[in-house]
Amino acid sequence: VYEFSREDPIGAYAIDYITHDCTLIVAYYEIRIDITFRDVRTPLDEIEYVGSESEAKRLLCQALENYDDHLTLYATYPGQPDYAALVQDYCGAHLKEQSAQPELTVTSYPADARNRIVELVFDYPASRLELRSMQQDVSESLRAAEIYVRYCTSETEKASLLFTYLAERFPYQEGTSRTPVYSALCQGIADSKSMAQSWQLLCDEAGLSCRTVSGLRGGEAYWWNIVTLDGVSCHVDVLRDLLDGSTLRLRYDEDMAGGYYWDAEDVPACPAPAPEEEEPEAPAPTEDQPASEDPAEDPAETPEAQPTEPETP
């Protein structure tokens, strides 16, 4: 009874507890078994059997794409993948398609066994229907931004107009949300990470080269972006510029010193471009020097115009 209810994956998952009673009847025993089952999320005949981490990852991504509230796997491979990291990686790579990253609860039956049933429970901040509606709103906002800047003649002008698109939509407030990109693009509430992710999506939609950078600002975790505009790379902190009510400020490495910290080996350098050298102006002619020394322009040597004979009709 103990082995089946505690060490077998099916028993550990489905059985709450078992009691047994042995009764001696003349020369044999009658054994009575009473089983109390758990209220399981997944019926036993619907559990997915997986033999590798790659197969488990595929089913996990499929569940996240559908906004499922749980996924139950019968795992027959050694090792325990980091399911929380897999969820975070998927949601980070699908910001446009994923409205929210769920809170994850992982339970193994039995724990630390090679063959085990793994129950993954996803806690979303809203229903599946509401999340899909948020996803549609984000797509429409990105599409509107792309149309807003489509006629810009330079990448710098396009980035500046993208910032104007954000600034004119809401009076932005700093705050956290469980639907980060939706809140940043459709409600005007953002923190550094959600705004950096939203700016990344806007740049991707508009065809601008952009990457999200994580580091420190004032000793705390902070996110911003690096964009390449007309061949020049620079830092942009969209959240700070929106909260300050200013225009988009293009910062170089020298401008970030003293407040921002990042891994210089992982992030490309953004030095300030060298100022263009102005061509020296030609000196003004003096009184002793004629304005032009080109003999072709000397009126004394210019041949007189010869009269032309009228054409014969």
Side-chain angles (χ1 to χ4, degrees):
V1 166
Y2 177 84
E3 180 181 356
F4 180 70
S5 63
R6 295 294 179 264
E7 297 180 1
D8 181 86
I10 295 293
Y13 176 69
I15 295 175
D16 190 4
Y17 62 91
I18 298 180
T19 60
H20 65 283
D21 180 57
C22 298
T23 304
L24 177 62
I25 301 177
V26 186
Y28 63 90
Y29 281 95
E30 181 183 81
I31 303 176
R32 178 180 176 82
I33 303 294
D34 290 322
I35 304 175
T36 301
F37 291 93
R38 296 176 58 247
D39 185 14
V40 297
R41 294 176 178 270
T42 306
L44 298 180
D45 58 349
E46 295 181 8
I47 295 177
E48 298 279 358
Y49 282 72
V50 293
S52 65
E53 288 192 22
S54 60
E55 191 174 357
K57 181 179 179 180
R58 179 184 64 81
L59 292 172
L60 175 61
C61 294
Q62 181 178 320
L64 292 171
E65 182 181 356
N66 295 330
Y67 295 111
D68 293 337
D69 61 357
H70 73 280
L71 172 65
T72 307
L73 307 173
Y74 193 119
T76 60
Y77 54 88
Q80 290 274 12
D82 189 344
Y83 293 105
L86 292 176
V87 169
Q88 184 175 359
D89 291 344
Y90 176 85
C91 294
H94 297 81
L95 294 171
K96 184 178 178 181
E97 299 83 8
Q98 204 70 18
S99 300
Q101 178 176 321
E103 294 181 356
L104 177 66
T105 302
V106 182
T107 309
S108 295
Y109 305 89
D112 303 324
R114 176 188 174 93
N115 293 344
R116 63 204 177 276
I117 290 179
V118 182
E119 185 179 64
L120 308 173
V121 179
F122 309 109
D123 180 21
Y124 286 99
S127 67
R128 178 183 299 175
L129 183 62
E130 291 172 320
L131 292 171
R132 292 201 182 280
S133 177
M134 293 178 188
Q135 180 180 331
Q136 181 65 28
D137 291 343
V138 168
S139 297
E140 291 177 358
S141 178
L142 293 174
R143 176 59 179 165
E146 190 273 332
I147 295 175
Y148 193 72
V149 302
R150 64 167 50 181
Y151 296 113
C152 293
T153 57
S154 70
E155 293 179 338
T156 302
E157 181 185 358
K158 185 176 291 188
S160 178
L161 202 57
L162 278 180
F163 180 84
T164 302
Y165 170 80
L166 289 176
E168 291 180 347
R169 287 173 62 83
F170 308 102
Y172 270 84
Q173 300 177 1
E174 187 170 6
T176 58
S177 170
R178 291 193 60 190
T179 55
V181 173
Y182 171 79
S183 295
L185 291 178
C186 303
Q187 293 181 321
I189 301 173
D191 56 16
S192 66
K193 185 174 183 179
S194 62
M195 182 51 67
Q197 291 173 333
S198 301
W199 184 255
Q200 177 77 59
L201 291 178
L202 288 168
C203 288
D204 292 344
E205 195 76 13
L208 297 177
S209 177
C210 177
R211 65 174 291 176
T212 302
V213 178
S214 62
L216 299 174
R217 180 178 180 270
E220 298 182 357
Y222 199 79
W223 284 260
W224 65 94
N225 302 94
I226 288 182
V227 293
T228 302
L229 305 175
D230 302 315
V232 179
S233 296
C234 57
H235 304 263
V236 292
D237 187 346
V238 179
L239 179 64
R240 295 266 69 79
D241 293 339
L242 285 171
L243 295 178
D244 294 341
S246 60
T247 57
L248 181 66
R249 180 182 173 189
L250 306 182
R251 300 169 169 88
Y252 303 100
D253 289 343
E254 298 84 351
D255 304 317
M256 303 288 283
Y260 297 82
Y261 299 90
W262 63 92
D263 185 356
E265 296 182 357
D266 184 58
V267 177
C270 300
E276 297 181 0
E277 296 183 0
E278 298 182 359
E279 297 183 0
E281 298 181 358
T286 61
E287 296 180 357
D288 300 333
Q289 180 181 2
S292 174
E293 298 181 354
D294 189 350
E297 298 180 2
D298 191 347
E301 298 182 6
T302 302
E304 296 181 359
Q306 301 295 329
T308 57
E309 296 180 2
E311 295 181 0
T312 305

